[in-house]
Amino acid sequence: MKGRARYVVAVSALVAGLTGGAALANAQSHSAAPLAGDQGQQIYQKWCWPCHGPSGPGGSRKAGTEALRNSYKGKLPAVLDERTDLTPSLVRTTVRNGTYFMAPFRKTEISDGDLDTLIAYLTRRRSSP
Amino acid sequence: MPPLPPGVTAQQFSNALREFGSAVGPEWVLSTDEDIRTYRDAFSPFWEEAEEPIPSAAVGPNTVEQVQQVVRIANKYRIPLWAVSTGRNLGYGGAAPLNSGTIVLDLKRMNRVLEVSEENAYALVEPGVSFFDLYRDIQERGLKLMLDLPQPGWGSVMGHALDRGVGQGPYEDRFGAHCGMEVVLPSGEVMRTGMGAVPGAKSWQHNPYGFGPFVDGMFAQSNFGVVTKMGFHLLPEPEALRLVTVTAPRRDDVVPFVNTVGYLKNAGICPASFGIRSPRNDTGYWSASLKFYGPLKVIDAQWEHAQEKFSAIAGVRFQEDALYRFPLSPDAIDGIPNKNVLGIPDLAAFGQGFVRDGRPHGYGHYFFAPIIPMTGEAMLEAQDVFEQAFKQLELPGRGPVGFTGWQRRSLISLISLPVEHDTGKAQKNREAFRGLMRIAGEHGWGVYRAPVVFMPDAMEVYSYNNHALRRFHETVKDALDPNGILAPGKCGIWPRRLREAREARA
């Protein structure tokens, strides 16, 4: 496992270097890979990435990513943490209420404190207040 | 305003919540409207209808001692509790109870992996441990062990087994793979089963039986206790996995085809769960997806032997789909579409199931899953019966195209119905679901598990000798849980004080 953890960090650094701070989480090799990065990234990786990360090259489609791709048809990024338009209220409402086939997340899963940290991560690149 | 538990006043409810707060910490008594929304079944067949079960609150203990306190307080106020582990059993009920007003006993915070042994290949876990959690724990320790998984990885290792869910590898019988339990009984007392009943037990996860009656089965698909720890046997990481597909060309091939699959499974040559599909056309009427786990030399020999056996069927064809060698590199894992068969949890099933044909969204589905014998004759009968049932119930399609081989001598015929937020469509699907259960029962088939809201209907089918089995369950229920506080009605088992409600439903 130590080897795999090193892989994640190394590729993450590469991605960050190429994109000027793009999401570390996108470097995860799979949904159950070790969590890496700061707390907000780790919460995202644990709870969001399995559905909202990039769909895999092996045909492993992420449900949230593909649903948003079909919805936005290229007007917005399909991968959630590449978005620059997410607002705190949208993230909070979606996490606690769910939408379509996305079930809501309970406080025993994502506590209020963790949700605040997740919101800070997902809105870090927001283009306007 | 969430509904109150039946027969409980607002003042009693308020007092109970305060006492729950003293037991688990006030922040883990969740009763606001926002909280309650998160405990609705996102895939509810009754979404937004008057019959949709809405809990009154949720309580989230973090230790077994807190579970004991919560159970004792519930007894004091005769408030029903509905235990969930990760609450992610989507398609079978999610985190919602059967009856409105019930308090959800949310065990997600009890998420500790207590022990993992590589030498004896087992783990001891709490209810909130998901397959993701256990996988990460094993990987971080660098242990050569493999999980046997359902498709969605966020489910509870314990909860999935207690609902008698299906794995995908050689340890496909997830309940059968457990070894030892800790249970909080309806009285609040803690009991350990099997070898765990010996104080200071040294073989709790080594031998499931201990001495005396084997009672573990009473706590799966039941409401006789709250399971707070469970041991599981794990698969030592194999050297290799080979995935293959075998195809037989004619409908009439089904008997020797299924007999051969059954032989391979029962002889231990191909013990993992498998799928049999029938596109019902001339491109290859039957196909079986088989998995061979083990040392490469062994699985080579097993595959060769399987081909010899299948070759008695004229026109049979063989396809090798993949060969994986362990340990897998991260690059290799990344490129594999179905990671579950490798023991790697993910949520890819949701991407396959709900996002199709450019459509962005769906609302989920729920499952009708009867068990039939693992014989070709039974498969043909099931196809014919359900094809007629689909016509009668005005369902689209021709009935099941696929069967899953589960346990050594049975198949599951899995049929999913979509969740609808249009009341008329939702009601039509519910009627169809109940119709499928009734028709299956008329042919001697019952389901292996059921969505929570259909559990009482599912148990109605198990009615031999005027419901002797259910009457036995309820005799046990009344003895263990005289106040009827644990999950009333779960799996059709009602406590004495609420049995009239079942008669009213009937």
Side-chain angles (χ1 to χ4, degrees), chain B residues 19-20 65-78 81 184-190 485:
Chain B
E19 291 189 37
F20 286 135
E65 292 80 11
Q66 291 181 1
V67 174
Q68 291 179 269
Q69 291 181 66
V70 170
V71 167
R72 287 177 175 135
I73 295 164
N75 266 299
K76 175 180 172 183
Y77 291 96
R78 290 164 67 103
L81 300 172
V184 174
L185 297 171
S187 63
E189 188 175 31
V190 177
I485 56 142

Side-chain angles (χ1 to χ4, degrees), chain B residues 5 44 56 70 80 105 169 241 262 268 338 371 390 422-423 436 477 496:
Chain B
S44 174
S56 56
V70 170
L105 180 59
L241 163 63
N338 181 8
I371 294 175
F390 269 48
D422 174 272
T423 303
L436 287 169
K477 179 67 173 172
R496 180 181 287 121

Side-chain angles (χ1 to χ4, degrees), chain A residues 1 4 7 29-33 35 50 58 61 63 66-67 70-71 96-97 100-101 103-109, chain B residues 35 37-39 43 86 88 106 135-136 139-140 328 331 333-335 337 344 351 354-355 358-362:
Chain A
M1 197 62 258
R4 189 169 300 161
Y7 166 85
S29 62
H30 58 90
S31 296
L35 306 177
R61 304 198 313 164
E66 296 307 316
N70 289 344
S71 286
R96 291 293 185 229
N97 289 273
Y100 292 95
F101 64 87
F105 289 84
R106 314 186 306 278
K107 289 178 180 173
T108 53
E109 298 172 295
Chain B
D35 293 330
R37 279 198 294 274
T38 65
Y39 288 91
F43 288 14
T86 64
R88 291 282 151 191
D106 184 344
Y135 177 86
R136 284 197 176 100
Q139 296 302 307
E140 284 166 11
L328 293 159
D331 284 340
I333 292 172
D334 198 21
I344 302 171
F354 300 140
V355 191
R359 287 186 293 113
H361 301 299

Side-chain angles (χ1 to χ4, degrees), chain B residues 113-126 134 157-158 171 176-183 191-198 200-210 214 216 227-234:
Chain B
V113 177
L114 299 168
E115 185 183 359
V116 180
S117 165
E118 184 178 53
E119 183 181 22
N120 282 142
Y122 69 76
L124 178 66
V125 297
E126 291 188 328
L134 184 55
V157 180
M158 261 183 58
Y171 286 29
H178 100 276
C179 188
M181 287 181 177
E182 178 184 86
V183 187
M191 177 177 79
R192 289 185 173 178
T193 68
M195 301 305 299
V198 177
K202 292 187 169 59
S203 51
W204 193 14
Q205 275 63 63
H206 300 74
N207 183 296
Y209 299 126
F214 181 60
D216 293 39
V227 183
T228 47
K229 292 183 182 69
M230 259 176 105
F232 288 94
H233 290 169
L234 305 173

Side-chain angles (χ1 to χ4, degrees), chain B residues 159-481:
Chain B
H160 178 250
L162 290 172
D163 204 25
R164 293 205 288 262
V166 178
Q168 299 187 54
Y171 286 29
E172 50 161 14
D173 176 2
R174 298 306 307 138
F175 183 75
H178 100 276
C179 188
M181 287 181 177
E182 178 184 86
V183 187
V184 174
L185 297 171
S187 63
E189 188 175 31
V190 177
M191 177 177 79
R192 289 185 173 178
T193 68
M195 301 305 299
V198 177
K202 292 187 169 59
S203 51
W204 193 14
Q205 275 63 63
H206 300 74
N207 183 296
Y209 299 126
F211 186 75
F214 181 60
V215 300
D216 293 39
M218 293 173 63
F219 300 101
Q221 291 193 0
S222 84
N223 49 14
F224 298 154
V226 179
V227 183
T228 47
K229 292 183 182 69
M230 259 176 105
F232 288 94
H233 290 169
L234 305 173
L235 181 70
E237 184 178 82
E239 184 182 311
L241 163 63
R242 187 190 298 282
L243 304 178
V244 304
T245 302
V246 185
T247 308
R250 293 168 297 274
R251 178 177 165 86
D252 290 347
D253 292 329
V254 67
V255 172
F257 191 71
V258 177
N259 282 348
T260 305
V261 175
Y263 157 78
L264 294 171
K265 192 168 177 71
N266 293 335
I269 295 164
C270 186
S273 69
F274 59 87
I276 294 184
R277 294 177 56 81
S278 170
R280 298 184 176 184
N281 58 38
D282 293 334
T283 61
Y285 205 95
W286 303 102
S287 69
S289 303
L290 306 177
K291 312 173 198 117
F292 297 91
Y293 295 82
L296 189 57
K297 288 180 181 175
V298 174
I299 65 173
D300 280 348
Q302 289 171 325
W303 176 220
E304 184 180 344
H305 180 69
Q307 291 177 81
E308 288 173 7
K309 289 292 182 183
F310 278 115
S311 292
I313 301 170
V316 72
R317 288 185 296 172
F318 306 108
Q319 175 180 310
E320 296 196 40
D321 301 315
L323 175 66
Y324 301 112
R325 303 286 296 269
F326 297 93
L328 293 159
S329 71
D331 284 340
I333 292 172
D334 198 21
I336 296 169
N338 181 8
K339 297 174 177 56
N340 297 156
V341 297
L342 306 164
I344 302 171
D346 67 14
L347 297 179
F350 290 92
Q352 294 154 8
F354 300 140
V355 191
R356 290 177 177 161
D357 306 326
R359 287 186 293 113
H361 301 299
Y363 292 107
H365 54 206
Y366 50 100
F367 298 109
F368 168 68
I371 294 175
I372 67 170
M374 192 190 294
T375 68
E377 292 89 344
M379 284 179 60
L380 292 178
E381 183 186 5
Q383 282 193 334
D384 291 344
V385 166
F386 289 121
E387 183 168 352
Q388 288 303 313
F390 269 48
K391 286 179 188 168
Q392 181 184 335
L393 301 168
E394 299 179 354
L395 289 168
R398 296 176 61 189
V401 295
F403 299 83
T404 300
W406 185 60
Q407 301 285 356
R408 291 195 164 184
R409 290 161 182 84
S410 65
L411 298 165
I412 295 170
S413 173
L414 193 67
I415 296 170
S416 68
L417 279 84
V419 173
E420 300 284 359
H421 286 190
D422 174 272
T423 303
K425 291 179 181 175
Q427 181 176 353
K428 183 170 180 291
N429 282 351
R430 293 196 298 269
E431 290 170 358
F433 191 93
R434 292 192 169 109
L436 287 169
M437 282 204 289
R438 175 179 49 76
I439 291 166
E442 289 167 359
H443 289 81
W445 303 316
V447 295
Y448 88 104
R449 66 203 285 210
V452 166
V453 293
F454 294 114
M455 283 180 172
D457 303 283
M459 198 64 204
E460 282 293 332
V461 173
Y462 286 77
S463 62
Y464 172 76
N465 191 19
N466 189 27
H467 285 282
L469 179 60
R470 190 172 68 191
R471 284 185 283 115
F472 176 83
H473 291 159
E474 291 180 341
T475 301
V476 175
K477 179 67 173 172
D478 291 343
L480 290 176
D481 186 10

